[in-house]
Amino acid sequence: GEDQEGNEINVQIKKVKTTPSIEAVSCWDFYPDPNATNIDDCDYVIQRHSYNKQQFQDLAEKPMFNADAVMECLEMGPNYQTRGFESSLYDRENIQTIYKNRFEVLEYWGIVDKDLAYQCGIESDKEVISVNAWICAGKVLRMVENPFTPNRIPYLVCPYELNPYQFFGVGIPENMEDSQQVMNGHARMAIDNLALAGNLVFDIDETQLVPGQDMSIYPGKIFRRQSGVTGTAINGLKFPNTAPENLMMFDKFRQLADEQTGIPSYSHGQTGVQSMTRTASGMSMLLGASSLNIKTVVKNLDDFLLRPLGEAFFQWNMQFFEGSLDV
């Protein structure tokens, strides 16, 4: 631009562009409708946020937030309640009921009935209205009708293995729990046995020794005898070593765990030299067969995460995208 004298002047213009973003939500902060078996069935989803003072104050700047309510909560001070699981989860043994300088904010996506929505200033002809609400310390920080078209809860949940009756599906630990417990038992037994079998226990006939001797044992030790047949006063007892049998059982159940989880040892590098693995084609066949089970997991990722995410971005762009494609 130019001023009145004709000199060039530089003017800074702030350009605001709305862009969609994604975040990974910890399962410990994610509370879906307990009656639902998948995300499409959910009447609502609640996400718990833990904010410091700065992050909490920044909420006041975000669109449709009630800045007065945010400031009131700030004045009331931090209100983050520690949950029982968190002390063990974060290995914090010194549990305090309230964390210093943290705010607990609950973000609700889901339906409310007509009356409640009307009280919150949302008017609609529908009987159930889909809303997004943010709450802290009993105060409503944000209450808007769900902005998305078509109407959706903006959370995606991908199970490792699908379970039609359970929201979170089945994971690797649950699949191999029984085998893992047997493996733990046999490993423990092998170690307990080695504590005895790997050491010597002495059987000493004190009547054959000169009284008052030191019973400690070290290389070159001399025990002074006074009677009896030579070499029978002190015997070393060797306990039977059962570790090999225990480790064989351990290995058997490790193979069973591979079958239960569908993650064969081949795929994480454990082979052992067998006839099949000596050639490139033999190895290739084994690896090809071992990857079959993982394909289900990859399909779940496609069906429950990547495809709906792509659709959601498309819908977002159709609804909210402004201006040209250059950023």
Side-chain angles (χ1 to χ4, degrees), residues 23 25 29-31 45-49 105-107 155:
E23 65 167 326
V25 180
D29 294 332
F30 178 67
Y31 296 85
V45 159
I46 297 170
Q47 184 186 344
R48 200 169 64 108
H49 298 274
V105 182
L106 300 180
E107 178 183 0
Y155 288 84

Side-chain angles (χ1 to χ4, degrees), residues 15 33 110 147 196 284 306 312 318 326:
K15 186 177 174 185
D33 176 359
L196 295 170
S284 168
L306 300 177
M318 292 299 282
D326 61 306

Side-chain angles (χ1 to χ4, degrees), residues 19-35:
T19 54
S21 67
I22 48 176
E23 65 167 326
V25 180
S26 160
C27 65
W28 302 101
D29 294 332
F30 178 67
Y31 296 85
D33 176 359
N35 299 310

Side-chain angles (χ1 to χ4, degrees), residues 33-57:
D33 176 359
N35 299 310
T37 53
N38 61 57
I39 195 75
D40 300 321
D41 265 358
C42 284
D43 264 355
Y44 67 87
V45 159
I46 297 170
Q47 184 186 344
R48 200 169 64 108
H49 298 274
S50 164
Y51 287 141
N52 64 28
K53 287 178 183 168
Q54 183 62 55
Q55 290 168 319
F56 186 71
Q57 187 177 285

Side-chain angles (χ1 to χ4, degrees), residues 62-301:
K62 292 195 174 175
M64 314 290 280
F65 272 83
N66 180 345
D68 296 337
V70 173
M71 293 310 161
E72 281 172 32
C73 287
L74 260 177
E75 283 166 28
M76 286 162 65
N79 69 326
Y80 186 86
Q81 294 286 325
T82 320
R83 307 288 144 172
F85 58 80
E86 284 178 292
S87 54
S88 51
L89 187 66
Y90 303 126
D91 200 23
R92 290 184 181 139
E93 291 307 318
N94 51 340
I95 309 170
Q96 301 150 328
T97 48
I98 295 185
Y99 274 4
K100 303 183 188 81
N101 78 354
R102 287 270 159 185
F103 291 86
E104 179 172 85
V105 182
L106 300 180
E107 178 183 0
Y108 175 93
W109 287 88
I111 56 171
V112 293
D113 59 49
K114 203 173 184 175
D115 299 338
L116 187 59
Y118 183 74
Q119 288 168 32
C120 299
I122 297 173
E123 291 189 34
S124 174
D125 303 332
K126 297 183 211 133
E127 202 52 49
V128 286
I129 296 121
S130 188
V131 297
N132 171 227
W134 291 61
I135 296 155
C136 177
K139 294 188 187 301
V140 179
L141 308 183
R142 179 186 206 247
M143 179 79 175
V144 293
E145 206 168 341
N146 189 329
F148 295 116
T149 310
N151 187 17
R152 67 179 184 275
I153 293 176
Y155 288 84
L156 304 169
V157 175
C158 177
Y160 178 84
E161 191 178 294
L162 204 58
N163 178 350
Y165 311 108
Q166 236 191 352
F167 191 91
F168 289 103
V170 183
I172 296 172
E174 194 178 339
N175 274 327
M176 65 178 285
E177 183 181 14
D178 297 339
S179 298
Q180 184 69 66
Q181 284 184 329
V182 176
M183 285 155 72
N184 294 350
H186 282 291
R188 183 78 256 157
M189 283 162 74
I191 290 165
D192 287 346
N193 172 256
L194 283 168
L196 295 170
N199 237 311
L200 267 183
V201 174
F202 290 96
D203 165 9
I204 297 178
D205 181 353
E206 289 196 40
T207 58
Q208 298 189 21
L209 298 178
V210 176
Q213 296 196 50
D214 174 20
M215 285 297 168
S216 64
I217 289 177
Y218 49 86
K221 166 84 177 181
I222 296 171
F223 283 99
R224 288 187 299 130
R225 293 162 46 82
Q226 59 186 5
S227 67
V229 190
T230 317
T232 54
I234 298 166
N235 294 303
L237 299 182
K238 182 92 176 72
F239 279 85
N241 179 9
T242 59
E245 291 95 322
N246 277 309
L247 291 177
M248 278 168 66
M249 286 298 287
F250 178 97
D251 216 51
K252 185 75 201 161
F253 278 88
R254 188 184 59 75
Q255 289 167 11
L256 283 177
D258 288 349
E259 290 171 28
Q260 286 165 347
T261 54
I263 305 178
S265 298
Y266 291 118
S267 53
H268 53 245
Q270 171 80 43
T271 56
V273 181
Q274 294 131 353
S275 54
M276 278 293 282
T277 56
R278 287 174 185 274
T279 61
S281 58
M283 197 71 199
S284 168
M285 286 193 310
L286 287 173
L287 285 169
S290 74
S291 68
L292 289 174
N293 291 305
I294 297 296
K295 286 189 169 71
T296 329
V297 180
V298 176
K299 185 176 189 301
N300 285 344
L301 266 173

